[in-house]
């Protein structure tokens, strides 16, 4: 089965959104701008951002080399040229803990230079960014960012 599919904006990039049996998948989609956004999953007992207890583009956790509480959680896709989707998958084997899901505006420049929110007014959400949570049966929940402000969005907490 191809699973549930969706898109945001005028370009269509398809990703299998259904999670593997017993797992969860978190999917981020956005419009043309900002150009690069990143989804993060952080152990909920650790303040954001903490690189040792997080899965994100800089630490995709494909080799389980970070905090053991993050074992079984991995970044599937890091999309850096508008629209997304990006996704992080929790395997059935991941620990039953609380995890925080967050989104960061990384770049709004075509050269992929990282935003510095102290100097660039464009380093912000544009409104309409979407995060969806799936299990093996389909969509469980979704959240849409409605304001064109800020460079971090704490979407919520997931219990796996």
């Amino acid at each position: 089965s191809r699973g549930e599919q969706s898109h945001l904006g005028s370009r269509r990039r398809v990703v299998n959104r259904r999670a593997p049996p017993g797992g969860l998948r978190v999917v981020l989609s956005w419009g043309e701008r900002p150009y690069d956004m990143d989804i993060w999953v952080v152990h909920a007992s650790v303040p954001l951002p903490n690189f040792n207890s997080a899965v994100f583009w800089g630490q995709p956790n494909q080799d389980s080399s970070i905090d053991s509480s993050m074992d079984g959680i991995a970044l599937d896709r890091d999309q850096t040229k508008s629209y997304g989707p990006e996704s992080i998958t929790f395997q059935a084997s991941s620990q039953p803990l609380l995890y925080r899901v967050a989104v960061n505006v990384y770049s709004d420049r075509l050269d992929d230079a990282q935003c510095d929110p102290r100097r660039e007014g464009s380093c912000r959400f544009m409104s309409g960014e979407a995060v969806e949570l799936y299990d093996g049966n389909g969509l469980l929940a979704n959240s849409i960012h409605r304001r064109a402000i800020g460079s971090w969005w704490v979407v919520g907490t997931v219990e796996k």
Side-chain angles (χ1 to χ4, degrees):
S1 167
R2 289 176 44 179
E4 294 190 24
Q5 302 169 351
S6 68
H7 69 281
L8 186 69
S10 62
R11 291 189 181 174
R12 182 174 172 84
R13 290 190 179 110
V14 177
V15 64
N16 182 357
R17 293 172 184 265
R18 288 195 184 176
L24 295 172
R25 180 164 289 135
V26 182
V27 180
L28 165 65
S29 300
W30 66 97
E32 182 178 6
R33 304 229 3 241
Y35 296 117
D36 187 3
M37 300 184 73
D38 294 307
I39 191 162
W40 288 58
V41 169
V42 180
H43 188 275
S45 68
V46 178
L48 255 177
N50 182 306
F51 300 112
N52 293 321
S53 296
V55 172
F56 66 107
W57 68 269
Q59 195 154 265
N61 203 23
Q62 302 294 344
D63 60 3
S64 300
S65 63
I66 61 173
D67 183 332
S68 64
S69 69
M70 304 307 285
D71 286 353
I73 305 169
L75 178 69
D76 304 307
R77 177 184 180 131
D78 179 27
Q79 180 62 40
T80 62
K81 300 294 183 205
S82 304
Y83 301 99
E86 285 198 5
S87 63
I88 291 179
T89 298
F90 293 71
Q91 298 297 327
S93 61
S94 59
Q95 294 187 35
L97 298 170
L98 292 176
Y99 299 93
R100 186 176 297 117
V101 176
V103 176
N104 174 241
V105 178
Y106 181 83
S107 179
D108 195 29
R109 293 175 39 169
L110 290 173
D111 65 2
D112 291 330
Q114 186 173 3
C115 292
D116 181 351
R118 295 169 296 178
R119 290 186 273 163
E120 297 182 37
S122 65
C123 187
R124 61 181 170 83
F125 290 94
M126 299 296 179
S127 183
E129 298 82 8
V131 172
E132 300 164 313
L133 178 66
Y134 293 85
D135 67 6
N137 295 315
L139 183 66
L140 292 173
N142 68 333
S143 183
I144 298 174
H145 195 275
R146 301 279 185 201
R147 302 186 70 202
I149 60 169
S151 62
W152 278 98
W153 170 28
V154 178
V155 180
T157 304
V158 173
E159 183 174 5
K160 169 62 183 86

mmCIF file of all heavy atoms in Angstrom, residues 129-151:
data_model
loop_
_atom_site.group_PDB
_atom_site.id
_atom_site.type_symbol
_atom_site.label_atom_id
_atom_site.label_comp_id
_atom_site.label_asym_id
_atom_site.label_seq_id
_atom_site.Cartn_x
_atom_site.Cartn_y
_atom_site.Cartn_z
ATOM 1 N N GLU A 129 2.210 26.279 7.611
ATOM 2 C CA GLU A 129 3.045 25.092 7.750
ATOM 3 C C GLU A 129 2.252 24.030 8.506
ATOM 4 O O GLU A 129 1.505 24.343 9.424
ATOM 5 C CB GLU A 129 4.333 25.425 8.505
ATOM 6 C CG GLU A 129 5.221 26.438 7.798
ATOM 7 C CD GLU A 129 4.852 27.895 7.990
ATOM 8 O OE1 GLU A 129 3.956 28.205 8.809
ATOM 9 O OE2 GLU A 129 5.440 28.746 7.321
ATOM 10 N N ALA A 130 2.411 22.760 8.117
ATOM 11 C CA ALA A 130 1.587 21.693 8.693
ATOM 12 C C ALA A 130 2.448 20.549 9.210
ATOM 13 O O ALA A 130 3.416 20.142 8.569
ATOM 14 C CB ALA A 130 0.614 21.161 7.645
ATOM 15 N N VAL A 131 2.073 20.035 10.381
ATOM 16 C CA VAL A 131 2.675 18.827 10.934
ATOM 17 C C VAL A 131 1.553 17.824 11.133
ATOM 18 O O VAL A 131 0.505 18.140 11.707
ATOM 19 C CB VAL A 131 3.398 19.113 12.272
ATOM 20 C CG1 VAL A 131 3.856 17.821 12.928
ATOM 21 C CG2 VAL A 131 4.588 20.040 12.038
ATOM 22 N N GLU A 132 1.793 16.603 10.634
ATOM 23 C CA GLU A 132 0.803 15.531 10.742
ATOM 24 C C GLU A 132 1.439 14.339 11.442
ATOM 25 O O GLU A 132 2.621 14.057 11.252
ATOM 26 C CB GLU A 132 0.332 15.101 9.349
ATOM 27 C CG GLU A 132 -0.304 16.243 8.573
ATOM 28 C CD GLU A 132 -0.427 15.944 7.095
ATOM 29 O OE1 GLU A 132 0.566 15.468 6.496
ATOM 30 O OE2 GLU A 132 -1.506 16.205 6.552
ATOM 31 N N LEU A 133 0.645 13.638 12.240
ATOM 32 C CA LEU A 133 1.096 12.456 12.980
ATOM 33 C C LEU A 133 0.300 11.251 12.488
ATOM 34 O O LEU A 133 -0.935 11.284 12.487
ATOM 35 C CB LEU A 133 0.894 12.661 14.477
ATOM 36 C CG LEU A 133 1.279 11.501 15.383
ATOM 37 C CD1 LEU A 133 2.782 11.249 15.344
ATOM 38 C CD2 LEU A 133 0.825 11.781 16.809
ATOM 39 N N TYR A 134 1.026 10.211 12.059
ATOM 40 C CA TYR A 134 0.400 9.005 11.517
ATOM 41 C C TYR A 134 0.831 7.777 12.296
ATOM 42 O O TYR A 134 1.956 7.706 12.785
ATOM 43 C CB TYR A 134 0.835 8.782 10.061
ATOM 44 C CG TYR A 134 0.328 9.828 9.115
ATOM 45 C CD1 TYR A 134 1.019 11.017 8.928
ATOM 46 C CD2 TYR A 134 -0.835 9.624 8.387
ATOM 47 C CE1 TYR A 134 0.559 11.986 8.050
ATOM 48 C CE2 TYR A 134 -1.308 10.591 7.508
ATOM 49 C CZ TYR A 134 -0.599 11.761 7.344
ATOM 50 O OH TYR A 134 -1.061 12.720 6.470
ATOM 51 N N ASP A 135 -0.075 6.794 12.368
ATOM 52 C CA ASP A 135 0.302 5.455 12.795
ATOM 53 C C ASP A 135 0.121 4.542 11.585
ATOM 54 O O ASP A 135 -0.050 5.010 10.466
ATOM 55 C CB ASP A 135 -0.483 5.003 14.024
ATOM 56 C CG ASP A 135 -1.970 4.786 13.777
ATOM 57 O OD1 ASP A 135 -2.438 4.866 12.617
ATOM 58 O OD2 ASP A 135 -2.678 4.524 14.762
ATOM 59 N N GLY A 136 0.115 3.238 11.784
ATOM 60 C CA GLY A 136 -0.024 2.309 10.678
ATOM 61 C C GLY A 136 -1.382 2.325 10.009
ATOM 62 O O GLY A 136 -1.542 1.838 8.888
ATOM 63 N N ASN A 137 -2.385 2.903 10.672
ATOM 64 C CA ASN A 137 -3.736 2.957 10.108
ATOM 65 C C ASN A 137 -4.050 4.265 9.400
ATOM 66 O O ASN A 137 -5.051 4.363 8.706
ATOM 67 C CB ASN A 137 -4.776 2.732 11.205
ATOM 68 C CG ASN A 137 -4.668 1.345 11.786
ATOM 69 O OD1 ASN A 137 -4.532 0.362 11.065
ATOM 70 N ND2 ASN A 137 -4.683 1.262 13.117
ATOM 71 N N GLY A 138 -3.230 5.296 9.614
ATOM 72 C CA GLY A 138 -3.480 6.574 8.963
ATOM 73 C C GLY A 138 -3.283 7.751 9.894
ATOM 74 O O GLY A 138 -2.628 7.653 10.937
ATOM 75 N N LEU A 139 -3.896 8.871 9.549
ATOM 76 C CA LEU A 139 -3.733 10.133 10.270
ATOM 77 C C LEU A 139 -4.327 10.064 11.674
ATOM 78 O O LEU A 139 -5.480 9.696 11.852
ATOM 79 C CB LEU A 139 -4.409 11.264 9.479
ATOM 80 C CG LEU A 139 -4.282 12.669 10.050
ATOM 81 C CD1 LEU A 139 -2.835 13.141 10.016
ATOM 82 C CD2 LEU A 139 -5.179 13.629 9.261
ATOM 83 N N LEU A 140 -3.510 10.444 12.667
ATOM 84 C CA LEU A 140 -3.962 10.520 14.062
ATOM 85 C C LEU A 140 -4.285 11.956 14.461
ATOM 86 O O LEU A 140 -5.249 12.208 15.180
ATOM 87 C CB LEU A 140 -2.887 9.991 15.012
ATOM 88 C CG LEU A 140 -2.566 8.518 14.955
ATOM 89 C CD1 LEU A 140 -1.368 8.208 15.846
ATOM 90 C CD2 LEU A 140 -3.777 7.703 15.399
ATOM 91 N N ALA A 141 -3.430 12.889 14.041
ATOM 92 C CA ALA A 141 -3.602 14.295 14.438
ATOM 93 C C ALA A 141 -2.820 15.179 13.478
ATOM 94 O O ALA A 141 -1.896 14.721 12.808
ATOM 95 C CB ALA A 141 -3.092 14.502 15.861
ATOM 96 N N ASN A 142 -3.225 16.454 13.425
ATOM 97 C CA ASN A 142 -2.469 17.423 12.644
ATOM 98 C C ASN A 142 -2.529 18.781 13.328
ATOM 99 O O ASN A 142 -3.409 19.048 14.139
ATOM 100 C CB ASN A 142 -2.967 17.498 11.206
ATOM 101 C CG ASN A 142 -4.348 18.093 11.092
ATOM 102 O OD1 ASN A 142 -5.135 18.017 12.019
ATOM 103 N ND2 ASN A 142 -4.648 18.683 9.961
ATOM 104 N N SER A 143 -1.550 19.617 12.985
ATOM 105 C CA SER A 143 -1.488 20.963 13.528
ATOM 106 C C SER A 143 -0.954 21.878 12.428
ATOM 107 O O SER A 143 -0.041 21.510 11.689
ATOM 108 C CB SER A 143 -0.561 21.005 14.742
ATOM 109 O OG SER A 143 -0.548 22.286 15.323
ATOM 110 N N ILE A 144 -1.539 23.076 12.332
ATOM 111 C CA ILE A 144 -1.132 24.039 11.316
ATOM 112 C C ILE A 144 -0.700 25.329 12.001
ATOM 113 O O ILE A 144 -1.403 25.856 12.858
ATOM 114 C CB ILE A 144 -2.285 24.313 10.325
ATOM 115 C CG1 ILE A 144 -2.644 23.015 9.603
ATOM 116 C CG2 ILE A 144 -1.898 25.403 9.325
ATOM 117 C CD1 ILE A 144 -3.849 23.111 8.709
ATOM 118 N N HIS A 145 0.480 25.816 11.617
ATOM 119 C CA HIS A 145 0.995 27.076 12.159
ATOM 120 C C HIS A 145 0.258 28.216 11.469
ATOM 121 O O HIS A 145 0.295 28.332 10.247
ATOM 122 C CB HIS A 145 2.505 27.168 11.910
ATOM 123 C CG HIS A 145 3.175 28.209 12.724
ATOM 124 N ND1 HIS A 145 3.230 29.521 12.344
ATOM 125 C CD2 HIS A 145 3.822 28.135 13.904
ATOM 126 C CE1 HIS A 145 3.888 30.215 13.257
ATOM 127 N NE2 HIS A 145 4.262 29.391 14.210
ATOM 128 N N ARG A 146 -0.422 29.059 12.217
ATOM 129 C CA ARG A 146 -1.303 30.074 11.643
ATOM 130 C C ARG A 146 -0.758 31.486 11.641
ATOM 131 O O ARG A 146 -1.417 32.392 11.151
ATOM 132 C CB ARG A 146 -2.634 30.079 12.400
ATOM 133 C CG ARG A 146 -3.363 28.772 12.375
ATOM 134 C CD ARG A 146 -4.111 28.633 11.102
ATOM 135 N NE ARG A 146 -4.922 27.403 11.148
ATOM 136 C CZ ARG A 146 -5.361 26.804 10.097
ATOM 137 N NH1 ARG A 146 -5.105 27.272 8.911
ATOM 138 N NH2 ARG A 146 -6.064 25.703 10.204
ATOM 139 N N ARG A 147 0.434 31.701 12.210
ATOM 140 C CA ARG A 147 0.947 33.070 12.300
ATOM 141 C C ARG A 147 2.286 33.183 11.619
ATOM 142 O O ARG A 147 3.122 32.302 11.714
ATOM 143 C CB ARG A 147 1.068 33.470 13.762
ATOM 144 C CG ARG A 147 -0.289 33.344 14.466
ATOM 145 C CD ARG A 147 -0.258 33.845 15.853
ATOM 146 N NE ARG A 147 -0.122 35.293 15.815
ATOM 147 C CZ ARG A 147 0.338 36.001 16.820
ATOM 148 N NH1 ARG A 147 0.692 35.422 17.930
ATOM 149 N NH2 ARG A 147 0.431 37.305 16.724
ATOM 150 N N ALA A 148 2.516 34.252 10.930
ATOM 151 C CA ALA A 148 3.772 34.476 10.205
ATOM 152 C C ALA A 148 4.785 35.167 11.116
ATOM 153 O O ALA A 148 5.236 36.277 10.854
ATOM 154 C CB ALA A 148 3.517 35.302 8.950
ATOM 155 N N ILE A 149 5.140 34.484 12.195
ATOM 156 C CA ILE A 149 6.125 35.028 13.136
ATOM 157 C C ILE A 149 6.991 33.898 13.669
ATOM 158 O O ILE A 149 6.621 32.732 13.614
ATOM 159 C CB ILE A 149 5.460 35.750 14.331
ATOM 160 C CG1 ILE A 149 4.561 34.782 15.107
ATOM 161 C CG2 ILE A 149 4.689 36.970 13.875
ATOM 162 C CD1 ILE A 149 4.081 35.320 16.426
ATOM 163 N N GLY A 150 8.140 34.268 14.215
ATOM 164 C CA GLY A 150 8.998 33.334 14.926
ATOM 165 C C GLY A 150 9.788 32.401 14.037
ATOM 166 O O GLY A 150 9.507 32.236 12.864
ATOM 167 N N SER A 151 10.826 31.782 14.627
ATOM 168 C CA SER A 151 11.637 30.817 13.902
ATOM 169 C C SER A 151 11.589 29.430 14.527
ATOM 170 O O SER A 151 12.133 28.489 13.975
ATOM 171 C CB SER A 151 13.088 31.300 13.802
ATOM 172 O OG SER A 151 13.649 31.413 15.097
#
